[in-house]
C-alpha cells in the first residue's frame, strides 16, 4: 500500500489529519463536527479505558451512569459553570417528527411536540450529578462519595479537528464529594497524579503537572490541576484536568451533610476528566513521516508476523515455525497477529503495519527457516535484527519494554530541550517564532497581563508548574514583581 | 437495615420498583424518563458488558463508535425505519443559550442559533452507520464488515419504568454487512444464539428462540430473530433481538460492492442489540420478597464475610482467619468482600447483603473460631450450613457453580410449567387471567387476527419458536388453517 503521507516538516497539521484517517483511527462523519472512531482507533481507546478504569478502581472509585440530558433550570443553577458552557451546547426542544405534508416521504419537527423545558445535551455532568448527590448524601457516613462515569459529551465547537476538538467526544468524568476541604484538594491532586502516571507509563508522554491560572480554570472550579504535554511541533496540549470545586456545586444544588457533631455543612467537591483527545496527543507525540508509532503498552497489535515465501511448501514450513512462536508469545500475554493473507505481498504488509504503528514486526523467509532465525524490526527506530528462534519470545518481551522506555525517553528529551527560559517580552516573541515549545517566564499574576500576551502572541499560560522554584523576579511583560516562572506556549 | 419491601404476591410491579431502588441498582433522575444507574447496578451491567464483549470479539466483531446525532435527512432515508422511530425521538434544534434579558441569572435558547438541519438523537444507529459504510465498502474484499458499538440511545417513551423502558438507555448494537443473503441470515442467527447463550449461562435465564411476526418486527428489517424470557409474574420479556435487514439499508444509503466477478451489487445487512433492559429481566426472573437474588456469574460481590464478635480480641482472631480465606478465594478468582465495619451490627449486614443478592454469605463467630468452622449461607435457597475451614475455598467454588446451575434449573422449571397449549379462544382468554405465562396456540398467520387478539386480550405473539413442530391446525381465533403453534403472552 502506498502511504502518500504529507511530511511533518512540510505541513504538520496536514500530516496529522491525513495520518488519523489513513491509519484507520477516525474520520469525519456526515454530522457536523462529529467523528467516527474506526475499529483500529477504538481498539487503542479501549486499551486506554481499561488501564484508566483499573487505576480509578484501585483508588477507590466506582462507576455509575447519569442522564445525557440536563434540564435548562438545572443547567443554569451553578452560574459560572452555566455561563462557561452556554455558548456552545446542543439543545433538545422537541420530541417528535411527523410527515411533512408539503414533501412526500420527508419528515418535519412536529410543532405540537415542544418540550415544556428545553434539555441541554451534557457538555459535562456536574449539574445533573450534583442534583442527584443531594439525595445520596445526608451524613458524614455517606462521604467520601467517589464516582466515575464513562460517557459521551457534546460541546458545539465551531472549528473541529479529529480527536483534538470535536462536537461530540468520549471521556470519563470523575465526580467526588468530601467532608472537608483538605480531603477534596487531596483527591484533586491524587487524580492529577493518576493521569500523569497513565500518560507517562502507558502513553509514553512526559507531562508537566501544574495549576491553571484563573482565566484558564474550569468554569465553576476553585482550582484546576492539569497535566500538560508538548507535541512534536512545539505546541502544548492539555492532556487531563482535575478540578477542586470548593463548595460551589454543593451550594448551587444545596448538598449538605450532618457532621459527626451533628452540624449541617455543605460538602466539598472535585471533578476530573480525560477524553478521546488523548488519542490526538498519542499520535502527535510519537508518530513520524512513515505513520503511527504506538507505545507497546497501548498497541492493539504488539507484534505482527509476516511470512515471505515463493511456494505453498515454504508457507507450510513457515507456518509451522510461526505457530510455535505465536503460542509462546501469547503465553507471555503479548498480542500477536500472523498476517498470512495470500492476497497481499510482504512489501504491502510491511507498509501497512508501519503506517499503523505496530511496535514489532517479525518476518520469516526461506533463509530464516534454514538458519533457525527470524528478522525482527522495530517500528520506533526502523531498525532490523536477525534473531535466533530459541528463546526469541523472551527477546521480544524485553524488546517491547525497551521500546516503551525508549519512546518515553525520546519524548522526554524532546520536551526538556523545548523548555526555554525567557526574561524579556522581545526575547519571548522572537523565540516563539523560531523555536516553539514551553517558555518559562516571570508573570505578574494578573489576568490583564495574561490576556494582553495572548492577544499579541497567541501564546497562553499552560500552567503554573507544581514543582517550580519560588524566586523573586519581574514580569517579562509588565515589569511588575513575580514570585516564580510559569509556562507559556501556543496550544492545541 | 429494614427492607420494608412489598411482597411479590401483593403487588408485583410495586415490588419491582421498590427493589430496584432499595438494592441500589437505579433510580429516577430529575430528567423525565431518564434513570441514574447507581454504582451497584452499574457493576452488574459492567459484568454483562465484559462477557458480551468477549463473546462478540470471539465471533470476529470489532468495536467502533459512531455519532450520537443523526441529521434529519439521513434519518428519513430508510422510510420504514424512520417511520418506526419518528414518533418518539429527541430533536436538537439549537446550539446556544444566551442570557434571558427578562430573567436575571436565567438562560434562554438563542433564537439566532438555530441549526440549518435538525439533529435526531439516535434511537438506533442504522442510518448513521450505513451512511458511513457507503465509504468503507467498495469490494467483496471489504466484506464481511463486523462491527459493534456500545452506546446510549434515546427513545421518547411516554410511560417509563426503571431499566424496562427508559427514555435514555445503554446498549450495544452490532451492525454487519455481507456479500450474500445466506451469510447475513447466518450472522443474524449466530448473534441470536450468542444472546441465548449469554442469557442462559450468565443470567441463568432460559429463553425461547424464535422469529417475530411482521407486526412485531424491527422497523426496516426483513426478519427479526429474538430471545424471549418469562418473568415470575407470567409476563414475557423480549431479552434481545437480531435483525436480518436484507438490502433495505444498503439500498437506502446506496451501499454497493464489486463482486469477485466485478459486478456491482447491494450488500446484505444485519443489526442486533441488547440493552440495560436485561437488568430488569435479571431482577424479575430470580429475586424474591427478601430482595435481589443474583447469579454468581454476574454478581459484583460473589461472597461476603461478616464477623460476629463481642470484643476487639475476638475481632482480631476472626480477622486472622478471614484474611486467609479471602486470599484463598481470590486465588480462585472469586470476588469476596470482608465487611468489618464496626458501625453496623451483623443483623443489619445480613439484611443488606440479602437485599443486594450476594450469592454466598459467610459468617464467623467465637464458636466457629473454636471449632475451626465457618457458617455458609446461600442467598438463593436461604439455607445455612456449618463448614470446616480446611478446603472451604473449594467448597465455596463448587457452591457458586451449584447456585448458578440451580437458579437456571428453577427458572427453567418455572418457564416450562408456564407454557400452556390452548386450542380455543375461550380457553385462551380464561387461562390468560388465571394462569399467565406463554400460550402455544395455532394462528392463521395474518396481522389482522394478531391485531384483534391483541385488542381483546392485550396478549401479543411473542415469537414463532424456531424449534416448533410443523403441524396442521386451525387458528384459535379465526378457525382458518395454521401450520404450527406460536407463543402468545402479555409482555413487558
Amino acid at each position: 500500500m502506498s502511504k502518500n503521507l504529507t511530511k511533518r516538516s512540510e505541513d504538520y497539521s496536514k500530516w496529522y489529519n491525513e495520518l488519523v484517517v489513513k491509519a484507520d483511527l477516525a474520520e469525519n462523519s456526515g454530522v457536523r463536527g462529529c467523528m467516527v472512531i474506526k475499529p483500529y482507533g477504538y481498539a487503542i481507546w479501549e486499551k486506554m479505558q481499561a488501564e484508566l478504569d483499573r487505576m480509578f478502581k484501585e483508588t477507590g472509585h466506582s462507576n455509575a451512569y447519569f442522564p445525557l440530558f440536563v434540564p435548562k433550570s438545572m443547567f443554569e443553577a451553578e452560574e459560572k459553570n452555566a455561563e462557561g458552557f452556554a455558548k456552545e451546547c446542543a439543545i433538545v426542544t422537541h420530541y417528535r417528527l411527523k410527515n411533512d405534508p408539503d414533501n412526500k416521504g420527508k419528515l418535519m419537527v412536529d410543532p405540537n411536540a415542544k418540550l415544556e423545558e428545553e434539555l441541554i445535551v451534557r457538555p459535562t455532568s456536574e449539574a445533573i450529578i450534583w442534583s442527584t448527590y443531594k439525595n445520596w448524601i445526608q451524613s458524614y457516613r455517606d462521604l467520601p462519595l467517589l464516582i466515575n462515569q464513562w460517557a459521551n459529551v457534546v460541546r458545539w465547537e465551531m472549528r473541529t479537528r479529529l480527536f483534538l476538538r470535536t462536537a461530540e467526544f468520549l471521556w470519563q468524568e470523575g465526580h467526588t464529594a468530601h467532608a472537608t476541604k483538605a480531603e477534596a484538594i487531596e483527591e484533586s491532586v491524587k487524580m492529577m497524579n493518576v493521569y500523569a502516571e497513565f500518560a507517562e507509563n502507558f502513553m509514553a508522554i512526559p507531562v508537566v503537572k501544574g495549576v491553571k491560572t484563573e482565566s484558564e480554570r474550569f468554569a465553576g472550579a476553585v482550582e484546576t490541576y492539569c497535566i500538560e504535554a508538548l507535541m512534536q511541533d512545539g505546541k502544548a496540549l492539555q492532556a487531563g484536568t482535575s478540578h477542586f470545586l470548593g463548595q460551589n456545586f454543593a451550594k448551587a444544588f444545596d448538598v449538605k451533610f450532618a457532621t459527626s457533631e451533628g452540624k449541617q455543612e455543605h460538602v466539598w467537591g472535585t471533578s476530573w476528566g480525560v477524553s478521546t483527545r488523548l488519542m490526538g496527543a498519542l499520535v502527535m507525540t510519537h508518530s513520524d513521516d512513515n505513520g503511527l508509532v504506538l507505545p507497546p503498552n497501548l498497541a492493539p497489535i504488539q507484534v505482527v508476523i509476516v511470512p515471505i515465501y515463493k511456494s505453498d511448501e515454504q508457507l507450510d514450513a513457515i507456518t509451522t515455525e510461526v505457530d510455535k512462536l505465536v503460542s509462546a508469545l501469547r503465553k507471555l500475554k503479548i498480542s500477536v497477529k500472523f498476517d498470512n493473507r495470500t492476497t497481499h505481498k510482504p512489501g504491502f504488509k510491511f507498509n501497512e503495519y508501519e503506517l499503523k504503528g505496530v511496535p514489532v514486526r517479525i518476518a520469516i523467509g526461506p533463509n530464516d527457516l534454514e538458519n533457525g532465525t527470524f528478522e525482527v524490526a522495530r517500528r520506533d527506530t526502523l531498525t532490523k535484527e536477525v534473531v535466533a528462534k530459541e528463546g526469541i519470545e523472551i527477546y521480544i518481551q524485553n524488546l517491547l519494554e525497551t521500546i516503551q522506555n525508549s519512546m518515553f525517553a525520546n519524548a522526554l528529551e524532546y520536551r526538556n530541550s523545548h523548555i526555554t527560559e525567557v526574561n524579556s517580552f522581545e526575547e519571548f516573541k522572537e523565540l516563539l517564532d523560531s523555536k516553539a515549545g514551553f517558555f518559562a517566564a516571570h508573570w505578574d499574576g494578573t489576568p490583564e497581563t495574561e490576556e494582553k500576551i495572548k492577544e499579541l502572541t497567541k501564546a497562553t499560560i499552560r500552567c503554573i508548574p507544581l514543582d517550580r522554584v519560588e524566586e523573586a523576579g519581574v514580569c517579562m511583560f509588565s515589569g511588575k514583581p513575580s514570585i516564580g516562572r510559569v509556562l507559556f506556549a501556543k496550544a492545541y
Side-chain angles (χ1 to χ4, degrees), chain A:
Chain A
M1 73 193 297
S2 162
K3 287 183 287 200
N4 282 329
L5 202 57
T6 296
K7 285 190 167 37
R8 285 167 295 171
S9 56
E10 277 169 28
D11 186 337
Y12 190 82
S13 171
K14 199 171 166 202
W15 163 82
Y16 173 80
N17 294 339
E18 285 178 5
L19 179 54
V20 167
V21 173
K22 291 193 178 190
D24 278 340
L25 300 182
E27 63 182 35
N28 286 306
S29 74
V31 190
R32 204 204 65 84
C34 294
M35 66 181 157
V36 172
I37 307 179
K38 299 174 79 173
Y40 192 62
Y42 200 83
I44 300 171
W45 176 242
E46 282 182 308
K47 293 206 101 177
M48 290 188 181
Q49 281 190 302
E51 209 44 60
L52 286 164
D53 198 67
R54 186 187 61 70
M55 293 172 96
F56 299 156
K57 282 174 179 159
E58 276 179 12
T59 45
H61 303 85
S62 302
N63 289 330
Y65 189 77
F66 296 86
L68 171 67
F69 299 128
V70 190
K72 187 172 73 67
S73 58
M74 199 186 275
F75 182 82
E76 66 199 4
E78 210 294 324
E79 260 185 74
K80 281 196 181 161
N81 188 252
E83 200 188 299
F85 289 100
K87 288 179 207 79
E88 45 181 42
C89 58
I91 308 161
V92 175
T93 56
H94 291 75
Y95 59 86
R96 189 165 62 222
L97 292 168
K98 62 170 200 169
N99 290 322
D100 184 344
D102 300 329
N103 281 297
K104 203 173 150 4
K106 303 285 176 189
L107 298 167
M108 59 177 283
V109 174
D110 184 343
N112 294 323
K114 195 170 186 302
L115 291 171
E116 275 180 43
E117 180 176 13
E118 296 87 354
L119 299 173
I120 316 306
V121 180
R122 63 182 164 215
T124 180
S125 299
E126 279 77 7
I128 186 82
I129 288 180
W130 281 88
S131 78
T132 308
Y133 281 1
K134 181 174 169 53
N135 301 318
W136 291 6
I137 298 169
Q138 271 89 41
S139 132
Y140 70 97
R141 285 189 203 88
D142 302 321
L143 299 172
L145 186 58
L146 305 173
I147 290 191
N148 176 62
Q149 158 170 287
W150 290 95
N152 53 344
V153 287
V154 172
R155 297 177 185 178
W156 208 256
E157 305 276 0
M158 278 303 158
R159 293 176 56 192
T160 62
R161 284 188 72 190
L162 291 169
F163 291 125
L164 298 172
R165 198 171 291 277
T166 48
E168 180 192 14
F169 58 88
L170 303 184
W171 79 346
Q172 60 66 220
E173 44 182 329
H175 295 271
T176 70
H178 306 264
T180 67
K181 179 178 175 178
E183 220 187 80
I185 291 176
E186 193 191 326
E187 167 81 6
S188 321
V189 173
K190 182 196 283 175
M191 298 321 289
M192 172 198 65
N193 284 326
V194 163
Y195 289 153
E197 198 186 317
F198 173 74
E200 303 203 329
N201 297 345
F202 289 85
M203 303 182 68
I205 301 180
V207 293
V208 177
K209 300 179 201 175
V211 294
K212 289 285 180 189
T213 60
E214 193 188 328
S215 59
E216 297 276 333
R217 209 176 273 155
F218 177 72
V222 172
E223 189 85 275
T224 288
Y225 296 88
C226 63
I227 56 171
E228 293 284 326
L230 195 66
M231 304 297 100
Q232 290 179 65
D233 62 346
K235 282 171 80 175
L237 185 142
Q238 173 181 301
T241 50
S242 180
H243 316 294
F244 167 58
L245 303 174
Q247 295 173 309
N248 291 349
F249 286 88
K251 285 180 178 165
F253 291 94
D254 193 30
V255 185
K256 287 182 185 164
F257 73 105
T259 67
S260 53
E261 293 87 36
K263 264 179 59 187
Q264 287 287 315
E265 284 181 11
H266 283 111
V267 306
W268 299 83
T270 85
S271 66
W272 29 274
V274 295
S275 73
T276 37
R277 191 161 213 243
L278 288 180
M279 293 286 297
L282 188 70
V283 172
M284 288 199 296
T285 301
H286 303 298
S287 300
D288 63 24
D289 293 347
N290 298 305
L292 284 184
V293 180
L294 294 177
N297 288 352
L298 292 178
I301 304 166
Q302 294 175 307
V303 176
V304 66
I305 305 175
V306 177
I308 297 165
Y309 57 95
K310 289 196 177 128
S311 68
D312 285 355
E313 289 72 37
Q314 281 179 358
L315 179 56
D316 287 348
I318 286 170
T319 302
T320 306
E321 284 303 320
V322 169
D323 285 349
K324 282 186 257 174
L325 176 55
V326 165
S327 79
L329 290 172
R330 291 211 173 123
K331 265 194 201 130
L332 298 172
K333 305 206 169 170
I334 293 168
S335 76
V336 53
K337 175 178 173 177
F338 177 34
D339 184 353
N340 57 1
R341 284 178 296 173
T342 52
T343 42
H344 297 80
K345 295 230 155 76
F348 179 96
K349 295 176 184 176
F350 284 17
N351 254 325
E352 180 175 345
Y353 297 111
E354 206 164 275
L355 179 60
K356 291 200 161 181
V358 174
V360 172
R361 183 190 74 220
I362 297 177
I364 170 170
N367 287 340
D368 295 302
L369 268 185
E370 216 163 280
N371 302 331
T373 57
F374 290 97
E375 186 194 76
V376 178
R378 273 174 74 159
R379 174 62 186 91
D380 62 330
T381 53
L382 296 172
T383 52
K384 287 192 254 188
E385 263 186 292
V386 172
V387 180
K389 69 179 180 184
E390 278 77 31
I392 189 176
E393 65 275 15
I394 302 296
Y395 174 90
I396 299 292
Q397 187 178 39
N398 293 334
L399 181 60
L400 289 168
E401 207 179 312
T402 303
I403 294 173
Q404 180 78 30
N405 294 336
S406 157
M407 286 178 67
F408 178 74
N410 286 339
L412 183 64
E413 198 196 321
Y414 174 84
R415 198 277 309 273
N416 286 347
S417 68
H418 285 78
I419 303 183
T420 311
E421 282 201 1
V422 289
N423 294 303
S424 77
F425 191 57
E426 287 312 307
E427 190 188 2
F428 177 61
K429 281 193 295 187
E430 203 183 291
L431 287 171
L432 199 56
D433 289 332
S434 62
K435 183 149 193 234
F438 287 122
F439 294 91
H442 280 287
W443 162 63
D444 63 18
T446 68
E448 294 73 25
T449 298
E450 190 181 3
E451 184 57 32
K452 277 182 199 146
I453 294 173
K454 187 177 172 183
E455 270 174 41
L456 294 167
T457 64
K458 291 187 182 157
T460 51
I461 299 177
R462 301 319 304 153
C463 71
I464 304 167
L466 290 185
D467 64 355
R468 74 166 174 178
V469 181
E470 304 275 325
E471 57 169 26
V474 290
C475 174
M476 68 162 168
F477 187 80
S478 67
K480 290 182 188 159
S482 149
I483 54 165
R485 291 175 188 271
V486 298
L487 290 185
F488 284 88
K490 290 186 185 168
Y492 279 96

